[in-house]
Amino acid sequence: MIADAVLVLRFLLAIALYSFLGWALLTLWQELRQQGKNLAGRKKLGITIIVRSAQANESQSRFSQAEIIIGRHTHCDLAIIDEALSAQHTRIAFHHGQWWLEDLNSTNGTFLNGEKLTTPTVVITGDEFKCGNTLFVIRIDDEEKSTSTK
């Protein structure tokens, strides 16, 4: 009789355990799907880079990708003819909801608003940075503009 009661209790405990595991996995799966939808729906802000060089007139380029490489090499996203520029001089990247400027160990360095850049730094609209003999001005799309263009 006691053996039958223990067997029933073990069976009920096993059912409870597997039910709990199933509920926990279902909850995690639903949360993961919701997070995926949130990330997929998040729009990164576009950025416009205005180029002011001594050799050429002012020009501007608009980007919507998450990473922009600036340098002398033709494979760079923004290739500039400037002998003082390294082949891959600097990177502008969008992560953590902000645009970041980073020097890529260039020979002559990158200067943000007149200060030498030593670590990746958040940039905002109106910031100026200099690579070689070329001056760049950053203009970041505001959220209202980027959401209205969806």
Side-chain angles (χ1 to χ4, degrees):
M1 174 102 169
I2 294 177
D4 292 337
V6 170
L7 183 63
V8 169
L9 285 175
R10 287 177 67 189
F11 181 70
L12 291 175
L13 185 59
I15 290 174
L17 179 64
Y18 284 115
S19 298
F20 174 75
L21 288 174
W23 171 81
L25 289 174
L26 179 65
T27 302
L28 286 172
W29 179 72
Q30 288 174 336
E31 181 68 25
L32 193 60
R33 265 188 41 194
Q34 184 61 40
Q35 289 292 330
K37 287 178 184 178
N38 290 345
L39 288 174
R42 186 182 297 171
K43 175 103 169 104
K44 67 177 170 291
L45 301 178
I47 188 170
T48 301
I49 301 174
I50 302 165
V51 181
R52 296 180 181 154
S53 63
Q55 298 90 357
N57 293 333
E58 183 177 293
S59 64
Q60 63 181 2
S61 301
R62 186 174 187 296
F63 298 95
S64 58
Q65 71 238 37
E67 182 178 276
I68 304 152
I69 303 292
I70 299 173
R72 206 177 55 230
H73 197 277
T74 56
H75 288 81
C76 290
D77 299 305
L78 188 54
I80 306 292
I81 300 170
D82 182 347
E83 291 302 315
L85 238 60
S86 296
Q88 290 189 343
H89 197 98
T90 193
R91 171 188 302 132
I92 301 174
F94 186 83
H95 55 87
H96 298 98
Q98 298 174 316
W99 286 100
W100 296 72
L101 178 66
E102 174 184 7
D103 184 68
L104 298 176
N105 297 321
S106 62
T107 304
N108 296 321
T110 300
F111 295 83
L112 176 62
N113 298 322
E115 298 289 324
K116 185 167 181 152
L117 196 65
T118 56
T119 60
T121 305
V122 174
V123 291
I124 59 172
T125 296
D127 278 345
E128 296 180 348
F129 65 97
K130 187 173 183 180
C131 300
N133 299 317
T134 307
L135 182 69
F136 301 88
V137 179
I138 295 175
R139 189 172 64 222
I140 299 172
D141 294 348
D142 54 358
E143 283 196 54
E144 293 80 32
K145 181 179 176 183
S146 68
T147 55
S148 65
T149 58
K150 275 190 175 178

